[in-house]
Amino acid sequence: MTLWEIICVILNFAGALAVFLFGMKLMSEGLQKVAGNGMRNMLSRITNNPISGILTGTAVTTAIQSSSATTVMVVSFVNAGLLSLYGAVAVIMGANIGTTVTAWIISLFGLGESSGLFSLPMFLGAVSLCFTFSKKNRMKSIGELVIGLAFLLVGMGLLQNAMPDLQQYPRFLEALGTLSQWGYLSLFIFIIIGALLTCLVQASAAMMAITLVMCYNGWISFDVAVALVMGQNIGTTITANIAAMVANANGKKAARAHLVFNVIGVVLTLIVFYPLMNLIDVITVSLSGLSPHSADPKQAAEVMPLALSLFHTFFNVANTIILSFFIPQIIKIVDWMVKTPVVTEDDETPKLKYIAGGYLNTPELNLQLARKEIEDFSKRVLRMYTFLPGLRSKNDEEFSASFEHIKKYEAITDRMEMEIAKFLTKISEGDLSREGSQMISSMLRIIDNLESIGDTMLQIAIHRRNKRDDEVHFDQELNDNLDRMTTLVEKSLSVMDANLQTDYTKIDLAGAYDAEDQINRYRDELRARHLNALKLGVYSYSVGSAYSGIYALYEKLGDYVINVSEAIDNSQKVAKDEAKSQKQ
């Protein structure tokens, strides 16, 4: 083979692999948009019940077609404290089961001369869905899903054609055969090869597709293919471990747990390897009448993809069932691997928790991370509010301490708004459902108002400082009035925070409006009494100016607070309208 021929083979293979991966991406995004808000909330509802975690991991990975993406997402959630390490290990176990779906799709539809018979009708049906139901977003999403599946099948056909015919290179096949004759040493070698190739390709599904093509063409034996698949399961853990490099100790532990689980699974499988191969052989013969260990190379090659898919599923399901009883022991292992540093949490550090690990290749699920970051943003705003009463202190040291706290927190709100907005903007560049796009719009409005709340608190602090510098003093009545206003705004903030922390479909909008109405009515009452006091000369203009400026800022703060709950409600109205249009 000439150098030019080698280059052409590499380019054709790379192009076929690109089509396959593009199909997987389209299929994943279509599934995410069809699943919608349910999948976004799925991970947040996981408990320490391993069954719920395993089922969630299976469902999410089936939807996004990447155990690596699921695990990276889990690392982010654990890093932020959204998931316990126990729940994370269970999700990772389920992710390994979910990734078996790709192998079955390829085995059943994507190999052989009939693959084109499926892909072309899929394109026709998908395009029909997209044009016929152009205004129904759910049907369009289903169409995108089908187009992705069709591209995946086309990619498999291209991979088959792009693969060089190794039968023309007997020396290579002879060397491959020699490597396959050393028993457990051969298995170990091909496990390492499978792990290294998966690390390079960064997609275990793509490596599974390549392995299935090699099986179908009869280039490798069934035992070698199985060893490659086990290696792929180890190699796919590298993505999460790379992502965990910037995570905290718990995030690193979640990534290591993925590695530990897959390595232990491979070790357990090697212990019973040959009896397991016999079992897979029996099941395959009962289903197809052919054996992957058949002396006839053509018959073995024909049934090997089915047998390999059976093994892949059995391997992941059996290991998950067995090791689900040993999650505490796995956690002990990763605790030993990653030491948790003893640190004091600095509440005034402008550090993001949930999106610090970076953007995930799952646009719809990124919204869940952004939402948790916004919930933390709200908690910081409430914390900032607790420093305002300290500004009434007669002690200069206490006043300065409270003022500096408020300044620091205002800087934090600025930084958080900017970072979350950048993250949401990046999500919006992905292929989102209409509901997801509206959620981003609402979140941007929410963080803008949360930042404005922080700005207003700083303005209140500055007014207090100016009043202090000018030696303006309020009598007990004015202080009591401001105390009551402070209490009303605090109630409004609490309702806002509760609405952000709860299911957006169950927010207390009536309670938010009631709290806002109380603030406005009391502001009107204070304004009327203030104007009357100025006419009667009850207090000086300087006192009146400082007093009215402060209560007006509190009312302004209340306006920003109600805007947050209204933004949440608007996103839910759009979601409801979307659901109605899909039913029609």
Side-chain angles (χ1 to χ4, degrees), residues 54 119 166 198 238 287 302 314 316 319 360 427 429 470 528 562 580:
I54 290 168
S119 57
L166 296 185
T198 306
I238 190 64
L287 291 175
E302 183 178 341
F314 185 89
N316 286 299
N319 282 327
L360 309 177
I427 297 175
E429 295 171 357
D470 296 338
I562 191 63
K580 287 180 182 178

Side-chain angles (χ1 to χ4, degrees), residues 304-543:
M304 220 181 285
L306 171 62
L308 194 59
S309 298
L310 282 170
F311 167 78
H312 193 212
T313 302
F314 185 89
F315 170 79
N316 286 299
V317 172
N319 282 327
T320 296
I321 292 173
I322 294 170
L323 293 177
S324 64
F325 294 100
F326 298 95
I327 293 178
Q329 286 72 30
I330 292 176
I331 292 176
K332 286 183 179 179
I333 293 173
V334 297
D335 282 340
W336 172 79
M337 294 173 70
V338 180
K339 302 299 181 183
T340 304
V342 180
V343 294
T344 301
E345 183 77 19
D346 184 2
D347 194 40
E348 297 179 17
T349 302
K351 181 180 179 182
L352 298 180
K353 295 180 180 179
Y354 301 90
I355 62 179
Y359 178 80
L360 309 177
N361 192 28
T362 49
E364 294 285 341
L365 289 171
N366 274 306
L367 290 175
Q368 184 66 23
L369 293 178
R371 178 178 167 181
K372 297 305 294 183
E373 203 68 73
I374 290 172
E375 290 175 14
D376 184 62
F377 195 170
S378 175
K379 291 296 184 187
R380 287 178 181 262
V381 167
L382 264 66
R383 171 68 173 154
M384 182 180 179
Y385 193 75
T386 64
F387 295 118
L388 287 178
L391 297 173
R392 286 186 54 190
S393 173
K394 295 181 180 179
N395 184 303
D396 289 341
E397 186 176 341
E398 291 178 0
F399 178 89
S400 296
S402 294
F403 190 85
E404 288 304 314
H405 277 304
I406 292 170
K407 280 183 62 179
K408 287 180 181 179
Y409 269 79
E410 196 277 331
I412 291 172
T413 61
D414 289 345
R415 175 72 179 274
M416 291 189 75
E417 182 203 16
M418 181 182 67
E419 293 298 325
I420 297 172
K422 285 169 59 179
F423 186 76
L424 289 171
T425 302
K426 191 166 185 178
I427 297 175
S428 67
E429 295 171 357
D431 199 4
L432 285 163
S433 63
R434 181 169 176 263
E435 180 187 349
S437 297
Q438 177 57 40
M439 181 67 74
I440 288 179
S441 178
S442 295
M443 286 180 171
L444 287 170
R445 184 182 171 195
I446 288 169
I447 61 174
D448 177 61
N449 281 280
L450 288 174
E451 191 274 336
S452 295
I453 291 171
D455 286 346
T456 307
M457 290 185 197
L458 179 59
Q459 290 177 38
I460 293 173
I462 292 172
H463 268 64
R464 285 284 188 181
R465 184 184 63 183
N466 293 340
K467 166 185 169 293
R468 191 180 188 88
D469 291 343
D470 296 338
E471 297 184 348
V472 173
H473 303 287
F474 295 158
D475 61 24
Q476 188 60 45
E477 181 183 356
L478 297 187
N479 281 325
D480 289 343
N481 292 342
L482 291 176
D483 284 346
R484 185 182 173 193
M485 177 63 90
T486 301
T487 301
L488 291 176
V489 174
E490 182 178 7
K491 177 185 175 183
S492 180
L493 282 166
S494 297
V495 175
M496 176 202 75
D497 184 63
N499 285 337
L500 285 172
Q501 308 296 327
T502 191
D503 187 334
Y504 281 6
T505 61
K506 301 175 182 177
I507 67 166
D508 182 14
L509 191 62
Y513 277 128
D514 180 63
E516 164 70 1
D517 186 56
Q518 289 184 48
I519 293 171
N520 288 339
R521 282 190 282 111
Y522 191 59
R523 184 274 319 272
D524 293 341
E525 179 184 335
L526 292 181
R527 180 186 293 164
R529 287 159 56 184
H530 165 64
L531 292 175
N532 189 52
L534 285 177
K535 289 178 182 179
L536 297 176
V538 174
Y539 43 70
S540 66
Y541 178 80
S542 59
V543 170

Side-chain angles (χ1 to χ4, degrees), residues 53-83:
I54 290 168
L55 292 177
T56 300
T58 302
V60 171
T61 307
T62 298
I64 65 179
Q65 283 299 290
S66 172
S67 60
S68 295
T70 302
T71 309
V72 170
M73 181 169 51
V74 166
V75 168
S76 297
F77 277 43
V78 173
N79 183 62
L82 177 61
L83 264 180

Side-chain angles (χ1 to χ4, degrees), residues 96-398:
N96 277 27
I97 296 176
T99 198
T100 63
V101 173
T102 307
W104 282 108
I105 292 173
I106 296 169
S107 295
L108 296 175
F109 305 109
L111 289 168
E113 297 177 358
S114 62
S115 62
L117 297 175
F118 293 101
S119 57
L120 294 178
M122 283 180 181
F123 277 120
L124 176 62
V127 171
S128 300
L129 280 174
C130 291
F131 279 97
T132 305
F133 301 99
S134 59
K135 296 184 179 180
K136 294 182 181 290
N137 287 280
R138 186 176 182 83
M139 297 305 294
K140 286 180 66 177
S141 298
I142 293 174
E144 291 173 13
L145 187 160
V146 176
I147 288 176
L149 180 57
F151 265 112
L152 186 146
L153 297 181
V154 169
M156 277 305 305
L158 293 174
L159 276 175
Q160 285 180 252
N161 295 328
M163 282 280 196
D165 186 3
L166 296 185
Q167 303 292 346
Q168 298 178 8
Y169 306 96
R171 290 185 179 179
F172 182 83
L173 290 176
E174 183 180 338
L176 204 59
T178 301
L179 283 176
S180 307
Q181 296 173 1
W182 300 337
Y184 274 98
L185 178 59
S186 295
L187 295 177
F188 184 71
I189 290 172
F190 283 107
I191 286 172
I192 293 176
I193 292 173
L196 292 175
L197 290 176
T198 306
C199 288
L200 291 174
V201 177
Q202 284 292 292
S204 59
M207 276 307 304
M208 171 60 79
I210 294 169
T211 304
L212 286 169
V213 170
M214 294 174 73
C215 288
Y216 184 79
N217 290 332
W219 297 337
I220 56 176
S221 68
F222 182 58
D223 290 359
V224 167
V226 166
L228 288 173
V229 168
M230 288 193 289
Q232 291 160 20
N233 271 44
I234 295 175
T236 194
T237 65
I238 190 64
T239 306
N241 278 280
I242 291 173
M245 290 176 67
V246 296
N248 60 22
N250 281 333
K252 288 182 172 68
K253 288 176 182 179
R256 301 295 189 277
H258 191 202
L259 175 63
V260 169
F261 170 70
N262 283 7
V263 169
I264 292 176
V266 168
V267 172
L268 292 177
T269 303
L270 286 174
I271 293 173
V272 294
F273 184 80
Y274 290 108
L276 178 58
M277 292 302 96
N278 291 333
L279 175 62
I280 297 296
D281 192 284
V282 170
I283 296 173
T284 305
V285 170
S286 66
L287 291 175
S288 65
L290 300 174
S291 168
H293 294 106
S294 173
D296 185 343
K298 290 185 178 180
Q299 289 187 355
E302 183 178 341
V303 77
M304 220 181 285
L306 171 62
L308 194 59
S309 298
L310 282 170
F311 167 78
H312 193 212
T313 302
F314 185 89
F315 170 79
N316 286 299
V317 172
N319 282 327
T320 296
I321 292 173
I322 294 170
L323 293 177
S324 64
F325 294 100
F326 298 95
I327 293 178
Q329 286 72 30
I330 292 176
I331 292 176
K332 286 183 179 179
I333 293 173
V334 297
D335 282 340
W336 172 79
M337 294 173 70
V338 180
K339 302 299 181 183
T340 304
V342 180
V343 294
T344 301
E345 183 77 19
D346 184 2
D347 194 40
E348 297 179 17
T349 302
K351 181 180 179 182
L352 298 180
K353 295 180 180 179
Y354 301 90
I355 62 179
Y359 178 80
L360 309 177
N361 192 28
T362 49
E364 294 285 341
L365 289 171
N366 274 306
L367 290 175
Q368 184 66 23
L369 293 178
R371 178 178 167 181
K372 297 305 294 183
E373 203 68 73
I374 290 172
E375 290 175 14
D376 184 62
F377 195 170
S378 175
K379 291 296 184 187
R380 287 178 181 262
V381 167
L382 264 66
R383 171 68 173 154
M384 182 180 179
Y385 193 75
T386 64
F387 295 118
L388 287 178
L391 297 173
R392 286 186 54 190
S393 173
K394 295 181 180 179
N395 184 303
D396 289 341
E397 186 176 341
E398 291 178 0

